[in-house]
Amino acid sequence: MRRRPSTPLLPVPFSPRAARAHRAGLRLTPDQVAEGMAAHGVRLLPSHVVAWEAGEMLPSEAEFIAVSRALWCPPAQLMVNAPATLLDFRLARVL
């Protein structure tokens, strides 16, 4: 059986500004967001949340879904643009 060549993962269309606005609107700290993400099975440090909001790092797909759940918003609201690719639509619908 042949293995398929690995394809590079496309970056998640994450909007740091939207994530920061949602967190601020809920009056949550990065610690609380990290705890909320842990409740959805993704454990990480609050410094990751800060780095995402600063645009220094991008979340993985699993982290993107978990942060949207921790912030009580649909994933599409944390995207830079409206979904345009199949990956974007899949992430927006949590498929």
Side-chain angles (χ1 to χ4, degrees):
M1 179 189 328
R2 285 188 169 178
R3 294 180 70 176
R4 291 184 183 174
S6 63
T7 57
L9 296 176
L10 296 173
V12 174
F14 178 74
S15 169
R17 174 184 263 171
R20 192 171 35 256
H22 276 281
R23 183 178 64 77
L26 293 170
R27 297 183 179 186
L28 296 175
T29 65
D31 291 340
Q32 291 169 318
V33 174
E35 288 175 19
M37 292 177 67
H40 293 286
V42 177
R43 299 189 187 289
L44 47 75
L45 297 172
S47 60
H48 285 85
V49 176
V50 172
W52 295 338
E53 291 179 357
E56 297 169 0
M57 293 174 52
L58 286 175
S60 68
E61 288 184 29
E63 292 166 342
F64 178 73
I65 299 301
V67 76
S68 72
R69 290 177 176 164
L71 295 175
W72 292 83
C73 68
Q77 290 184 4
L78 297 181
M79 291 184 168
V80 175
N81 300 315
T85 66
L86 182 59
L87 171 66
D88 295 351
F89 280 103
R90 187 174 60 77
L91 285 171
R93 298 288 304 230
V94 192
L95 297 175

Coordinates of all heavy atoms in Angstrom, one line a residue:
M1 N 0.8 -1.2 0.0 CA 0.0 0.0 0.0 C 0.9 1.2 0.0 O 1.8 1.4 0.8 CB -0.9 0.0 1.2 CG -1.7 1.2 1.2 SD -2.7 1.7 2.6 CE -3.4 0.4 3.5
R2 N 0.6 2.2 -0.9 CA 1.4 3.4 -1.0 C 0.8 4.5 -0.1 O -0.4 4.6 0.0 CB 1.4 3.9 -2.4 CG 2.2 3.2 -3.3 CD 2.3 3.9 -4.6 NE 3.3 3.3 -5.4 CZ 3.6 3.7 -6.6 NH1 2.9 4.7 -7.2 NH2 4.6 3.1 -7.3
R3 N 1.7 5.2 0.5 CA 1.2 6.4 1.3 C 1.1 7.6 0.4 O 2.0 7.8 -0.4 CB 2.2 6.6 2.4 CG 2.2 5.5 3.4 CD 3.1 5.8 4.5 NE 2.6 6.9 5.3 CZ 3.1 7.3 6.4 NH1 4.3 6.8 6.8 NH2 2.6 8.3 7.1
R4 N 0.1 8.4 0.6 CA 0.0 9.6 -0.1 C 1.0 10.6 0.4 O 1.3 10.6 1.6 CB -1.4 10.2 0.1 CG -2.5 9.4 -0.5 CD -3.8 10.2 -0.4 NE -4.9 9.4 -0.9 CZ -6.1 9.7 -0.8 NH1 -6.5 10.8 -0.2 NH2 -7.0 9.0 -1.4
P5 N 1.6 11.4 -0.5 CA 2.5 12.4 0.0 C 1.7 13.4 0.9 O 0.6 13.7 0.6 CB 3.0 13.1 -1.2 CG 2.1 12.7 -2.3 CD 1.4 11.4 -1.9
S6 N 2.4 13.8 2.0 CA 1.7 14.7 2.9 C 1.6 16.1 2.2 O 2.5 16.6 1.6 CB 2.4 14.8 4.2 OG 3.7 15.3 4.0
T7 N 0.4 16.7 2.4 CA 0.2 18.0 1.8 C 0.4 19.0 3.0 O -0.1 18.7 4.1 CB -1.1 18.2 1.2 OG1 -2.1 17.8 2.1 CG2 -1.3 17.3 0.0
P8 N 0.9 20.2 2.8 CA 1.1 21.1 3.8 C -0.3 21.6 4.3 O -1.2 21.8 3.5 CB 1.9 22.3 3.2 CG 1.8 22.1 1.8 CD 1.5 20.6 1.5
L9 N -0.5 21.8 5.6 CA -1.8 22.2 6.1 C -2.0 23.7 5.8 O -1.0 24.5 5.9 CB -1.8 22.0 7.6 CG -1.8 20.6 8.1 CD1 -1.7 20.5 9.6 CD2 -2.9 19.8 7.5
L10 N -3.1 24.0 5.4 CA -3.4 25.4 5.1 C -3.7 26.1 6.4 O -4.3 25.6 7.3 CB -4.7 25.5 4.2 CG -4.5 24.9 2.8 CD1 -5.8 25.0 2.0 CD2 -3.5 25.7 2.0
P11 N -3.3 27.4 6.5 CA -3.6 28.1 7.7 C -5.1 28.3 7.9 O -5.8 28.5 7.0 CB -2.8 29.4 7.6 CG -2.7 29.6 6.1 CD -2.6 28.2 5.5
V12 N -5.5 28.3 9.2 CA -6.8 28.6 9.5 C -7.1 30.1 9.3 O -6.3 30.9 9.7 CB -7.1 28.2 11.0 CG1 -8.5 28.6 11.5 CG2 -6.9 26.7 11.2
P13 N -8.2 30.5 8.7 CA -8.5 31.9 8.5 C -8.9 32.6 9.7 O -10.1 33.1 9.8 CB -9.6 31.8 7.4 CG -10.3 30.6 7.7 CD -9.3 29.6 8.2
F14 N -8.1 32.7 10.7 CA -8.4 33.2 12.0 C -8.2 34.8 12.1 O -7.2 35.3 11.6 CB -7.4 32.6 13.0 CG -7.6 33.0 14.4 CD1 -8.6 32.7 15.2 CD2 -6.6 33.9 15.0 CE1 -8.8 33.1 16.5 CE2 -6.7 34.3 16.3 CZ -7.8 33.9 17.1
S15 N -9.1 35.4 12.7 CA -9.0 36.9 12.9 C -8.7 37.2 14.3 O -9.5 37.1 15.2 CB -10.4 37.6 12.5 OG -10.4 38.9 12.9
P16 N -7.4 37.7 14.6 CA -7.1 38.1 15.9 C -8.0 39.2 16.5 O -8.3 39.1 17.6 CB -5.6 38.5 15.8 CG -5.1 37.9 14.5 CD -6.3 37.8 13.6
R17 N -8.3 40.1 15.6 CA -9.2 41.2 16.1 C -10.5 40.7 16.6 O -11.0 41.2 17.6 CB -9.3 42.2 15.0 CG -10.3 43.3 15.3 CD -10.5 44.2 14.1 NE -9.6 45.4 14.3 CZ -9.4 46.3 13.4 NH1 -9.9 46.2 12.2 NH2 -8.6 47.3 13.6
A18 N -11.1 39.8 15.8 CA -12.5 39.3 16.2 C -12.4 38.5 17.5 O -13.3 38.6 18.3 CB -13.0 38.4 15.0
A19 N -11.3 37.7 17.6 CA -11.2 36.9 18.8 C -11.0 37.8 20.1 O -11.7 37.6 21.1 CB -10.0 36.0 18.7
R20 N -10.2 38.8 19.9 CA -10.0 39.8 21.0 C -11.3 40.5 21.4 O -11.6 40.7 22.5 CB -8.9 40.8 20.6 CG -8.3 41.6 21.7 CD -7.1 42.4 21.4 NE -7.1 42.9 20.0 CZ -6.3 42.4 19.0 NH1 -5.5 41.4 19.2 NH2 -6.3 43.0 17.8
A21 N -12.0 40.9 20.3 CA -13.3 41.6 20.6 C -14.3 40.7 21.3 O -15.0 41.1 22.2 CB -13.9 42.1 19.3
H22 N -14.4 39.4 20.9 CA -15.3 38.5 21.5 C -14.9 38.3 23.0 O -15.8 38.2 23.9 CB -15.4 37.2 20.8 CG -16.4 37.2 19.6 ND1 -17.7 37.1 19.7 CD2 -16.1 37.3 18.3 CE1 -18.3 37.1 18.6 NE2 -17.3 37.3 17.7
R23 N -13.6 38.1 23.2 CA -13.2 37.8 24.6 C -13.5 39.0 25.4 O -14.0 38.9 26.6 CB -11.7 37.5 24.6 CG -11.2 37.2 26.0 CD -9.7 36.8 26.0 NE -8.8 37.8 25.6 CZ -8.5 38.9 26.3 NH1 -8.9 39.0 27.5 NH2 -7.6 39.8 25.8
A24 N -13.2 40.2 24.9 CA -13.4 41.5 25.7 C -14.9 41.7 25.9 O -15.3 42.1 27.0 CB -12.8 42.7 24.9
G25 N -15.7 41.3 24.9 CA -17.2 41.5 25.1 C -17.7 40.6 26.2 O -18.7 40.9 26.9
L26 N -17.1 39.4 26.4 CA -17.5 38.5 27.4 C -16.8 38.8 28.7 O -17.1 38.1 29.7 CB -17.3 37.1 27.0 CG -18.1 36.6 25.8 CD1 -17.6 35.2 25.3 CD2 -19.6 36.4 26.2
R27 N -15.9 39.7 28.7 CA -15.1 40.0 29.9 C -14.3 38.8 30.5 O -14.3 38.6 31.7 CB -15.9 40.7 31.0 CG -16.5 42.0 30.5 CD -17.3 42.7 31.6 NE -17.8 43.9 31.1 CZ -18.4 44.8 31.8 NH1 -18.6 44.6 33.1 NH2 -18.8 45.9 31.2
L28 N -13.7 38.1 29.5 CA -13.0 36.9 29.9 C -11.5 37.2 29.8 O -11.0 38.0 29.0 CB -13.2 35.7 29.0 CG -14.7 35.2 29.0 CD1 -14.8 34.1 27.9 CD2 -15.0 34.6 30.3
T29 N -10.7 36.6 30.7 CA -9.2 36.7 30.6 C -8.7 35.6 29.7 O -9.4 34.6 29.5 CB -8.6 36.6 32.0 OG1 -8.9 35.2 32.5 CG2 -9.2 37.6 33.0
P30 N -7.5 35.7 29.2 CA -6.9 34.6 28.5 C -6.9 33.3 29.3 O -7.1 32.2 28.7 CB -5.5 35.1 28.2 CG -5.6 36.6 28.1 CD -6.6 36.9 29.2
D31 N -6.7 33.4 30.6 CA -6.8 32.2 31.5 C -8.1 31.5 31.4 O -8.2 30.3 31.3 CB -6.5 32.5 32.9 CG -5.1 33.0 33.2 OD1 -4.2 32.7 32.4 OD2 -4.8 33.6 34.2
Q32 N -9.2 32.3 31.4 CA -10.5 31.8 31.3 C -10.8 31.1 30.0 O -11.5 30.1 29.9 CB -11.5 32.8 31.7 CG -11.5 33.3 33.1 CD -12.3 34.5 33.4 OE1 -12.3 35.5 32.6 NE2 -13.0 34.5 34.5
V33 N -10.3 31.8 28.9 CA -10.5 31.2 27.6 C -9.8 29.9 27.5 O -10.3 28.9 27.0 CB -10.0 32.2 26.5 CG1 -10.0 31.5 25.1 CG2 -10.8 33.4 26.5
A34 N -8.5 29.8 28.0 CA -7.8 28.5 28.0 C -8.5 27.5 28.8 O -8.6 26.3 28.4 CB -6.4 28.8 28.5
E35 N -9.1 27.8 29.9 CA -9.9 26.9 30.7 C -11.1 26.4 29.9 O -11.5 25.2 30.0 CB -10.3 27.5 32.0 CG -9.2 27.7 33.0 CD -9.6 28.4 34.3 OE1 -10.8 28.5 34.6 OE2 -8.7 28.9 35.0
G36 N -11.8 27.3 29.3 CA -12.9 27.0 28.4 C -12.6 26.0 27.3 O -13.3 25.1 27.0
M37 N -11.4 26.3 26.7 CA -10.9 25.4 25.7 C -10.6 24.0 26.2 O -10.9 23.0 25.5 CB -9.7 26.0 25.0 CG -10.0 27.2 24.2 SD -8.6 28.0 23.4 CE -8.2 26.8 22.2
A38 N -10.1 23.9 27.4 CA -9.8 22.6 28.0 C -11.0 21.8 28.2 O -11.0 20.6 28.1 CB -9.0 22.9 29.3
A39 N -12.1 22.5 28.5 CA -13.4 21.8 28.7 C -13.9 21.2 27.4 O -14.7 20.3 27.4 CB -14.5 22.8 29.2
H40 N -13.3 21.7 26.3 CA -13.7 21.1 24.9 C -12.5 20.2 24.4 O -12.5 20.0 23.2 CB -14.0 22.3 24.0 CG -15.2 23.0 24.3 ND1 -16.5 22.5 24.1 CD2 -15.4 24.2 24.9 CE1 -17.4 23.3 24.5 NE2 -16.7 24.4 25.0
G41 N -11.6 19.8 25.3 CA -10.6 18.8 25.0 C -9.3 19.4 24.4 O -8.5 18.6 24.0
V42 N -9.1 20.7 24.4 CA -7.9 21.3 23.9 C -7.2 22.0 25.1 O -7.7 23.0 25.5 CB -8.2 22.3 22.7 CG1 -6.9 22.9 22.3 CG2 -8.8 21.6 21.6
R43 N -6.1 21.5 25.5 CA -5.4 22.0 26.6 C -4.2 22.8 26.1 O -3.4 22.3 25.3 CB -4.9 20.9 27.6 CG -6.0 20.1 28.1 CD -5.5 19.2 29.2 NE -6.6 18.3 29.7 CZ -7.6 18.7 30.4 NH1 -7.8 20.0 30.8 NH2 -8.5 17.8 30.8
L44 N -4.1 24.1 26.5 CA -3.0 24.9 26.2 C -2.8 26.0 27.2 O -3.6 26.2 28.1 CB -3.1 25.5 24.8 CG -4.5 26.1 24.4 CD1 -4.7 27.5 25.0 CD2 -4.5 26.2 22.9
L45 N -1.7 26.7 27.1 CA -1.4 27.8 28.0 C -2.2 29.1 27.6 O -2.4 29.3 26.4 CB 0.1 28.1 28.1 CG 0.9 26.9 28.5 CD1 2.4 27.3 28.3 CD2 0.6 26.6 30.0
P46 N -2.5 29.9 28.6 CA -3.1 31.2 28.3 C -2.2 32.1 27.3 O -2.7 32.9 26.6 CB -3.3 31.9 29.6 CG -3.3 30.8 30.6 CD -2.4 29.7 30.0
S47 N -0.9 31.8 27.4 CA 0.0 32.6 26.5 C -0.3 32.3 25.0 O 0.0 33.1 24.1 CB 1.5 32.3 26.8 OG 1.7 30.9 26.6
H48 N -0.8 31.1 24.7 CA -1.2 30.8 23.3 C -2.4 31.8 22.9 O -2.4 32.3 21.8 CB -1.7 29.4 23.2 CG -0.6 28.4 23.2 ND1 0.0 27.9 24.3 CD2 0.1 27.8 22.1 CE1 1.0 27.1 24.0 NE2 1.1 27.0 22.7
V49 N -3.3 31.9 23.8 CA -4.5 32.8 23.5 C -4.0 34.2 23.2 O -4.4 34.9 22.3 CB -5.5 32.8 24.6 CG1 -6.6 33.8 24.4 CG2 -6.1 31.4 24.8
V50 N -3.1 34.7 24.1 CA -2.5 36.0 23.9 C -1.7 36.1 22.6 O -1.9 37.1 21.8 CB -1.5 36.4 25.1 CG1 -0.8 37.7 24.8 CG2 -2.3 36.4 26.4
A51 N -1.0 35.1 22.2 CA -0.2 35.1 20.9 C -1.2 35.1 19.7 O -0.9 35.8 18.7 CB 0.7 33.9 20.9
W52 N -2.3 34.4 19.8 CA -3.2 34.4 18.7 C -3.8 35.8 18.5 O -3.9 36.3 17.4 CB -4.4 33.4 19.0 CG -4.0 32.0 19.0 CD1 -2.9 31.4 18.5 CD2 -4.7 30.9 19.6 NE1 -2.9 30.1 18.7 CE2 -4.0 29.7 19.4 CE3 -5.9 30.9 20.4 CZ2 -4.4 28.5 19.9 CZ3 -6.3 29.7 20.8 CH2 -5.6 28.5 20.6
E53 N -4.2 36.4 19.7 CA -4.8 37.7 19.6 C -3.8 38.8 19.1 O -4.2 39.8 18.6 CB -5.4 38.1 21.0 CG -6.6 37.3 21.3 CD -7.1 37.7 22.7 OE1 -6.6 38.5 23.4 OE2 -8.2 37.1 23.1
A54 N -2.5 38.6 19.3 CA -1.5 39.5 18.9 C -1.1 39.2 17.4 O -0.3 40.0 16.8 CB -0.3 39.4 19.8
G55 N -1.6 38.1 16.9 CA -1.3 37.8 15.5 C 0.1 37.1 15.4 O 0.6 37.0 14.3
E56 N 0.7 36.7 16.5 CA 2.0 36.0 16.5 C 1.9 34.6 16.1 O 2.9 34.0 15.6 CB 2.7 36.2 17.8 CG 2.9 37.6 18.2 CD 3.3 37.8 19.7 OE1 3.4 36.8 20.4 OE2 3.5 39.0 20.1
M57 N 0.8 33.9 16.4 CA 0.6 32.5 16.1 C -0.8 32.3 15.5 O -1.7 33.2 15.7 CB 0.7 31.7 17.3 CG 2.1 31.6 18.0 SD 2.1 30.7 19.6 CE 1.3 29.2 19.2
L58 N -1.0 31.2 14.8 CA -2.3 30.9 14.3 C -2.8 29.6 15.0 O -1.9 28.7 15.2 CB -2.3 30.6 12.8 CG -2.3 31.9 12.0 CD1 -2.2 31.5 10.5 CD2 -3.5 32.7 12.2
P59 N -4.0 29.5 15.4 CA -4.5 28.2 16.0 C -4.6 27.1 15.0 O -4.8 27.4 13.8 CB -5.9 28.6 16.6 CG -6.3 29.7 15.7 CD -5.1 30.4 15.3
S60 N -4.5 25.9 15.4 CA -4.8 24.7 14.5 C -6.3 24.6 14.3 O -7.1 25.4 15.0 CB -4.3 23.4 15.2 OG -5.1 23.1 16.3
E61 N -6.7 23.7 13.5 CA -8.2 23.6 13.3 C -8.9 23.2 14.6 O -9.9 23.8 14.9 CB -8.5 22.5 12.3 CG -8.1 22.9 10.9 CD -8.5 21.8 9.8 OE1 -9.5 21.1 10.1 OE2 -7.8 21.8 8.8
A62 N -8.4 22.3 15.4 CA -9.0 21.9 16.6 C -9.0 23.0 17.6 O -10.0 23.2 18.3 CB -8.3 20.7 17.2
E63 N -7.9 23.8 17.7 CA -7.8 24.9 18.6 C -8.8 26.0 18.1 O -9.5 26.7 19.0 CB -6.4 25.5 18.6 CG -5.4 24.6 19.3 CD -4.0 24.9 19.0 OE1 -3.7 25.7 18.1 OE2 -3.1 24.4 19.7
F64 N -9.0 26.2 16.8 CA -9.9 27.2 16.3 C -11.3 26.9 16.7 O -12.0 27.8 17.2 CB -9.7 27.3 14.8 CG -10.7 28.2 14.1 CD1 -10.4 29.6 14.2 CD2 -11.7 27.8 13.4 CE1 -11.3 30.5 13.6 CE2 -12.6 28.7 12.7 CZ -12.4 30.0 12.8
I65 N -11.7 25.6 16.6 CA -13.1 25.2 16.9 C -13.3 25.4 18.5 O -14.3 25.9 18.9 CB -13.4 23.8 16.5 CG1 -13.3 23.7 15.0 CG2 -14.7 23.3 17.0 CD1 -14.2 24.5 14.2
A66 N -12.3 25.0 19.2 CA -12.4 25.1 20.7 C -12.4 26.5 21.2 O -13.2 26.8 22.1 CB -11.2 24.4 21.3
V67 N -11.7 27.4 20.6 CA -11.7 28.8 21.0 C -13.1 29.4 20.6 O -13.6 30.2 21.4 CB -10.5 29.6 20.5 CG1 -10.7 30.0 19.0 CG2 -10.4 30.9 21.3
S68 N -13.6 29.0 19.5 CA -15.0 29.6 19.2 C -16.0 29.1 20.2 O -16.9 29.8 20.6 CB -15.4 29.2 17.7 OG -15.7 27.8 17.6
R69 N -15.9 27.8 20.6 CA -16.8 27.3 21.6 C -16.6 28.0 23.0 O -17.5 28.3 23.7 CB -16.6 25.8 21.7 CG -17.2 25.1 20.5 CD -17.0 23.6 20.6 NE -17.6 22.9 19.4 CZ -17.3 21.7 19.1 NH1 -16.4 21.0 19.7 NH2 -17.9 21.2 18.0
A70 N -15.3 28.2 23.3 CA -15.0 28.9 24.6 C -15.5 30.3 24.6 O -15.9 30.9 25.6 CB -13.5 28.9 24.9
L71 N -15.6 30.9 23.4 CA -16.1 32.3 23.3 C -17.5 32.4 22.9 O -18.1 33.5 22.7 CB -15.2 33.1 22.2 CG -13.8 33.3 22.6 CD1 -13.0 34.0 21.4 CD2 -13.6 34.1 23.8
W72 N -18.2 31.3 22.9 CA -19.6 31.2 22.7 C -20.1 31.9 21.4 O -21.0 32.7 21.3 CB -20.4 31.8 23.8 CG -20.3 31.0 25.1 CD1 -19.3 31.0 26.0 CD2 -21.2 30.0 25.5 NE1 -19.5 30.1 27.0 CE2 -20.7 29.4 26.7 CE3 -22.4 29.4 25.0 CZ2 -21.3 28.4 27.4 CZ3 -23.0 28.4 25.8 CH2 -22.5 27.9 26.9
C73 N -19.3 31.6 20.3 CA -19.7 32.2 19.0 C -19.4 31.2 17.9 O -18.6 30.3 18.0 CB -18.9 33.5 18.8 SG -17.1 33.2 18.5
P74 N -20.1 31.4 16.8 CA -19.9 30.5 15.6 C -18.5 30.7 15.1 O -18.0 31.8 15.1 CB -20.9 30.9 14.6 CG -21.9 31.8 15.3 CD -21.2 32.3 16.5
P75 N -17.8 29.7 14.6 CA -16.5 29.8 14.1 C -16.4 30.9 13.0 O -15.4 31.6 12.9 CB -16.1 28.4 13.6 CG -17.0 27.5 14.3 CD -18.3 28.3 14.6
A76 N -17.4 31.0 12.2 CA -17.4 32.0 11.1 C -17.2 33.4 11.6 O -16.6 34.3 10.9 CB -18.7 31.9 10.3
Q77 N -17.6 33.7 12.8 CA -17.4 35.0 13.4 C -15.9 35.3 13.8 O -15.6 36.5 14.0 CB -18.3 35.3 14.6 CG -19.8 35.4 14.2 CD -20.7 35.7 15.4 OE1 -20.2 35.9 16.5 NE2 -21.9 35.7 15.1
L78 N -15.1 34.3 13.8 CA -13.7 34.4 14.2 C -12.8 34.4 12.9 O -11.6 34.3 13.0 CB -13.3 33.4 15.2 CG -14.0 33.4 16.5 CD1 -13.4 32.3 17.4 CD2 -13.8 34.8 17.2
M79 N -13.4 34.3 11.7 CA -12.7 34.3 10.5 C -12.3 35.7 10.0 O -13.1 36.6 10.2 CB -13.5 33.5 9.4 CG -13.6 32.0 9.8 SD -14.4 31.2 8.4 CE -14.1 29.5 8.9
V80 N -11.2 35.7 9.3 CA -10.8 37.0 8.7 C -11.8 37.5 7.7 O -12.2 38.7 7.7 CB -9.4 36.9 8.0 CG1 -9.0 38.1 7.3 CG2 -8.4 36.4 9.0
N81 N -12.2 36.6 6.8 CA -13.2 36.9 5.7 C -14.3 35.9 5.8 O -14.2 34.9 6.5 CB -12.5 36.9 4.3 CG -11.4 37.8 4.2 OD1 -11.5 39.0 4.6 ND2 -10.3 37.4 3.7
A82 N -15.4 36.2 5.0 CA -16.4 35.2 4.8 C -15.8 33.9 4.2 O -14.9 34.0 3.4 CB -17.5 35.8 3.9
P83 N -16.4 32.8 4.6 CA -15.8 31.5 4.0 C -15.8 31.6 2.5 O -16.8 32.0 1.9 CB -16.8 30.5 4.5 CG -17.4 31.0 5.8 CD -17.5 32.5 5.5
A84 N -14.7 31.1 1.9 CA -14.5 31.2 0.5 C -14.1 29.8 -0.1 O -14.4 29.5 -1.2 CB -13.5 32.2 0.0
T85 N -13.3 29.1 0.7 CA -12.8 27.8 0.2 C -13.6 26.6 1.0 O -14.3 26.9 1.9 CB -11.3 27.6 0.5 OG1 -11.2 27.6 2.0 CG2 -10.5 28.8 -0.1
L86 N -13.4 25.4 0.5 CA -14.0 24.3 1.1 C -13.6 24.2 2.6 O -14.4 23.9 3.4 CB -13.7 23.0 0.3 CG -14.3 21.7 0.8 CD1 -15.9 21.8 0.8 CD2 -13.9 20.6 0.0
L87 N -12.3 24.4 2.8 CA -11.8 24.4 4.2 C -12.5 25.4 5.1 O -12.9 25.1 6.2 CB -10.3 24.6 4.2 CG -9.7 24.8 5.6 CD1 -9.8 23.5 6.4 CD2 -8.2 25.2 5.5
D88 N -12.7 26.6 4.5 CA -13.3 27.7 5.3 C -14.8 27.3 5.6 O -15.2 27.4 6.8 CB -13.4 29.0 4.5 CG -12.0 29.6 4.3 OD1 -11.0 29.1 4.8 OD2 -11.9 30.5 3.5
F89 N -15.5 26.8 4.6 CA -16.9 26.4 4.9 C -17.0 25.2 5.9 O -17.8 25.2 6.8 CB -17.6 26.0 3.6 CG -18.0 27.2 2.8 CD1 -17.3 27.6 1.7 CD2 -19.2 27.9 3.2 CE1 -17.8 28.7 1.0 CE2 -19.6 29.0 2.5 CZ -18.9 29.4 1.4
R90 N -16.0 24.3 5.8 CA -16.0 23.1 6.7 C -15.8 23.6 8.1 O -16.4 23.2 9.1 CB -14.9 22.1 6.3 CG -15.0 20.8 7.0 CD -14.0 19.8 6.5 NE -12.6 20.3 6.5 CZ -11.8 20.3 7.6 NH1 -12.3 19.9 8.7 NH2 -10.6 20.7 7.5
L91 N -14.8 24.5 8.3 CA -14.5 25.1 9.6 C -15.7 25.9 10.2 O -16.0 25.8 11.3 CB -13.3 25.9 9.6 CG -12.0 25.2 9.5 CD1 -10.8 26.2 9.2 CD2 -11.7 24.4 10.7
A92 N -16.3 26.7 9.3 CA -17.4 27.5 9.7 C -18.6 26.7 10.2 O -19.3 27.1 11.1 CB -17.9 28.5 8.6
R93 N -18.8 25.5 9.6 CA -19.9 24.6 9.9 C -19.5 23.6 10.9 O -20.3 22.7 11.3 CB -20.5 24.0 8.7 CG -21.0 24.9 7.6 CD -22.3 25.5 8.1 NE -23.2 24.5 8.4 CZ -24.5 24.4 7.9 NH1 -24.9 25.3 7.2 NH2 -25.2 23.4 8.3
V94 N -18.3 23.6 11.4 CA -17.7 22.6 12.3 C -18.0 21.2 11.8 O -18.5 20.3 12.5 CB -18.3 22.7 13.7 CG1 -17.5 21.9 14.7 CG2 -18.3 24.2 14.2
L95 N -17.6 20.9 10.6 CA -17.7 19.6 9.9 C -16.4 18.9 9.9 O -15.4 19.4 9.8 CB -18.2 19.7 8.5 CG -19.6 20.4 8.4 CD1 -20.0 20.6 6.9 CD2 -20.7 19.6 9.1

